[in-house]
């Protein structure tokens, strides 16, 4: 696994996903609601002819947000795909060296970057969590 | 041993003679090198048919011999290479087959052994022949001057199918873009129509590479059922429903064995003996049903019996997990005594494993005393589905056209025990809001909203929506593994304008409506309120396609019109002759018997009706039809593809002066 991560912002928090698990970063548009799904599911969207579920990343991690998300990060793991709605994709870069344990369920660790704590996502565990949140 | 039925035997002999004649002449042509390119296919097919028929009339020697011959031919076909050395043993086998068919008895073992050796010889050769065949068919072709088949990795066909699906969507986007563009030239429209033909052909060809109808494995089953039942002292008949349903070739190959296994289970464990059945008030002969039905991106293959079902204890145990888990537990058996048929070591767990291995799922339903149904849900190679698209609370939904009985406007409703229903030609149908059924929150639908009557396994529900968007053939896309537990949807479709429509599973919809059994019709009929308003204008819809006809009926009824229908021009004229209250005719052009142009001319030529407004519905690009329609005296024309509710209603409103 390389150290390159996609850094994103949700509300006032920052998270990082390993770049090899990110298929695409795109605008959030063309969302269709799906009745019967869990609260964290915003709906589905058309991504290059494929129908993907869209999760509100803020709801998945259990924080509030001001206003609607505008971007999606399409995450991939073990043949499963999910679009994560976030406020901003800040950059793609190496992880900082300072790593410490994180409390949140699907975080591998946290790093300190420019005075901000960045949660490093364990993608496999995140998908387990998405599966629970889906319906 | 089984006794051949004399009547069948004679039919079999006639057919076998004819096929053997053909086999011999084909073999001779192959020997001389002037056989047709698909000669080996022909040989294989003829031999295969003889084998199957011989099995059914109980001529085991013939079956065995033909089977050995079929193996050799199958291998030869697989290799795209027919070796001359095969001609002699195959001819001698054909001769022996003929003698057996005519009734002489001679041992078949020597010939069977010889064919087995020939087959083994082919096997050794196959290694040498395989390498070039896998890379390119050319060397084989050059060597033999003909090509039987080529091997293609399944993934390559899958890629092709994906691309075809994408092309269908692309085309839809193009059509959508052109619909809004009145300046689109006729050349473009013509090319687009031409493209539609090509794409249709490509789609069928691509799907055909992966699919075969269920009927291709059904042939020997009725006979097998009869024999299996006889061996266990029971009586059974097999009914096959949906034999034309197409299944993925790879899945179908393994399916035959599973179906036979399930039928054997049903006979051994499910069906009671004839005397026991009589005691229980059932017909002596048990009924087995093999049923196939496409449901979105899956094909359901069901094996059902009307036997004793599973016991109450088993059902109670199943309530804690599932019937599949209980019955498929290795070693579980519902038979109290082990008969010759059961206990063969292959249980339901093997069926479950096989179904799951191809990406499917197994489901079992059973009622004690009533019977058992084993449902195999198998994936389809490429799922194209005809749906009626509807809108409710701003979202688009697709309802499989096959499950739709009709569409109409919401009129009088009635209520019993807090549940609403409407009357449909003397029957009551429960009424429900589509939004409520799928679990969406939405404001109450407006009065006279469209209502679509959905039927699943004989149960009906009328669902209210806001708008009918039209009929469309869509590519069924999976919602993906994360949303797989949503049973309401068969999948989703991406529409021409890029919107996503959720495709509704009619069975799940019915379940949500809790429609278990029809409400007492008689009870409700008394409560029907007959409305005595002034009657709205009556429109005659002339169209040979049932789906389009019903769709147009739905739109017009939703718009407050009364609607009569006719299947072609002739029927339309008859109806006009009988019913003077018709105020407008909406007609298709292409129809059997009398087309829409002739109908328009006939209306204009009749002094009593010459002023009747006629609206012609044409396909995009049929400018000639359109011109002919105008020449014939039509008042308006509409393009089928851009056929939307609003445009139709506006035109009809204008012409009826409503």
């Amino acid at each position: 696994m390389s150290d390159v991560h996609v850094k994103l912002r949700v509300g006032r928090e920052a998270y990082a996903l390993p770049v090899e698990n990110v298929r695409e970063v795109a605008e959030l548009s063309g969302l269709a609601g799906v009745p019967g799904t869990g609260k964290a599911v915003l709906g589905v969207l058309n991504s290059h002819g494929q129908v993907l579920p869209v999760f509100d990343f803020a709801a998945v991690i259990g924080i509030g947000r001001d206003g609607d998300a505008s971007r999606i990060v399409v995450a991939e793991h073990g043949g499963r795909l999910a679009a994560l709605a976030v406020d901003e994709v800040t950059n793609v870069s190496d992880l900082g060296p300072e790593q410490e344990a994180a409390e949140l369920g699907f975080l591998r660790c946290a790093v300190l970057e420019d005075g901000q704590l960045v949660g490093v996502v364990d993608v496999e565990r995140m998908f387990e969590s998405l599966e629970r949140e889906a319906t | 041993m089984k006794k051949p039925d004399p009547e069948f035997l004679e039919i079999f002999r006639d057919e076998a003679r004819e096929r053997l004649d053909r086999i011999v002449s084909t073999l001779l042509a192959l020997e001389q090198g002037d056989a047709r390119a698909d000669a080996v296919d022909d040989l294989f097919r003829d031999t295969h048919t003889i084998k199957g028929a011989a099995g059914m009339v109980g001529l085991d020697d013939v079956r065995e011999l033909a089977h050995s011959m079929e193996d050799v031919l199958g291998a030869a076909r697989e290799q795209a290479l027919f070796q001359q050395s095969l001609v002699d043993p195959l001819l001698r086998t054909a001769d022996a087959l003929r003698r057996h068919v005519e009734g002489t008895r001679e041992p078949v073992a020597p010939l069977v052994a010889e064919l087995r050796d020939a087959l083994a010889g082919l096997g050794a050769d196959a290694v040498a022949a395989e390498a070039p065949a896998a890379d390119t068919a050319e060397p084989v072709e050059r060597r033999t001057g003909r090509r039987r088949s080529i091997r293609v990795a399944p993934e390559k066909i899958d890629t092709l199918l994906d691309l075809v699906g994408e092309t269908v969507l692309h085309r839809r986007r193009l059509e959508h873009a052109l619909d809004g563009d009145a300046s689109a030239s006729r050349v473009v429209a013509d090319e687009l129509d031409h493209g539609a033909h090509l794409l249709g052909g490509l789609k069928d060809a691509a799907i055909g590479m992966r699919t075969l109808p269920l009927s291709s494995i059904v042939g020997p089953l009725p006979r097998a059922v009869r024999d299996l039942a006889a061996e266990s002292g029971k009586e059974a008949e097999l009914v096959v429903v949906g034999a034309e349903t197409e299944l993925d070739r790879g899945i179908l190959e393994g399916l035959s064995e599973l179906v036979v296994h399930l039928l054997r289970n049903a006979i051994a464990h499910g069906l009671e003996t004839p005397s026991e059945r009589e005691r229980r008030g059932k017909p002596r002969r048990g009924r087995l049903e093999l049923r196939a039905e496409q449901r979105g991106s899956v094909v359901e293959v069901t094996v059902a019996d009307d036997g004793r079902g599973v016991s109450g204890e088993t059902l109670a145990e199943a309530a804690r997990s599932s019937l599949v888990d209980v019955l498929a537990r290795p070693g579980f058996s519902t038979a109290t005594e082990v008969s010759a048929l059961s206990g063969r070591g292959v249980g339901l767990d093997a069926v479950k494993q096989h179904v799951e291995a191809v990406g499917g799922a197994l489901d079992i339903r059973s009622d004690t005393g009533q019977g058992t149904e084993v449902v195999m849900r198998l994936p389809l190679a490429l799922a194209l589905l005809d749906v009626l698209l509807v809108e409710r609370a701003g979202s688009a939904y697709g309802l499989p056209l096959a499950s739709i009985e009709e569409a109409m406007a919401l009129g009088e409703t009635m209520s019993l025990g807090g549940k609403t229903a409407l009357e449909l030609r003397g029957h009551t149908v429960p009424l429900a809001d589509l939004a409520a059924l799928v679990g969406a929150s939405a404001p109450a639908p407006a009065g006279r909203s469209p209502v679509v009557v959905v039927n699943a396994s004989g149960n009906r529900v009328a669902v209210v929506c806001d708008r009918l968007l039209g009929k469309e053939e869509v590519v069924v896309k999976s919602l993906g593994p994360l949303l797989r537990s949503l049973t309401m949807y068969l999948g989703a479709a991406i529409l021409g304008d890029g919107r996503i429509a959720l495709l509704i599973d009619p069975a799940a919809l019915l379940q949500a409506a809790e429609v278990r059994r029809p409400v007492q019709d008689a009870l409700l009929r008394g409560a029907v309120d007959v409305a005595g308003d002034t009657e709205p204008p009556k429109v005659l819809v002339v169209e040979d396609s049932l789906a389009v006809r019903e769709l147009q009926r739905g739109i017009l009824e939703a718009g407050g019109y009364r609607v009569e229908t006719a299947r072609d021009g002739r029927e339309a004229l008859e109806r006009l002759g009988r019913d003077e209250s018709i105020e407008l005719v909406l007609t298709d052009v292409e129809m059997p018997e009398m087309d829409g142009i002739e109908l328009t001319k006939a209306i204009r030529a009749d002094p009593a009706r010459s002023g009747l407004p006629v609206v012609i519905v044409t396909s995009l690009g049929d400018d000639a039809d359109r011109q002919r329609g105008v020449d014939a005296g039509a008042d308006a024309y509409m393009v089928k593809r851009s056929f939307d509710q609003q445009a139709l209603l506006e035109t009809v409103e204008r012409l009826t002066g409503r």
Side-chain angles (χ1 to χ4, degrees), chain B residues 420-448:
Chain B
T420 2
L422 54 81
E423 198 215 351
L424 193 66
R425 288 187 287 279
H427 293 272
T428 55
V429 179
L431 183 71
D433 179 357
L434 179 59
L437 292 184
V438 298
S441 55
R448 301 209 68 78

Side-chain angles (χ1 to χ4, degrees), chain A residues 30 32-37 41 43-46 48-53 55 79-82 127 130-131 134-135, chain B residues 166 169 173 395 397 435 438-440 477-486 488-489 492-494 498 500-502:
Chain A
V34 182
T37 48
V41 180
V44 289
L45 55 70
N46 168 12
H48 311 289
Q50 215 171 350
V51 176
L52 299 184
F55 290 82
R80 294 177 297 181
L81 286 166
F127 268 93
L130 294 183
E131 197 149 17
T135 48
Chain B
E166 286 311 309
L169 291 180
R173 281 195 295 277
S395 298
Y397 298 92
V438 298
K477 303 263 177 183
S478 159
L479 287 176
L482 289 173
L483 298 182
R484 71 174 154 218
S485 54
L486 288 177
M488 180 58 75
Y489 312 108
I494 299 168
I500 293 176
L502 295 167

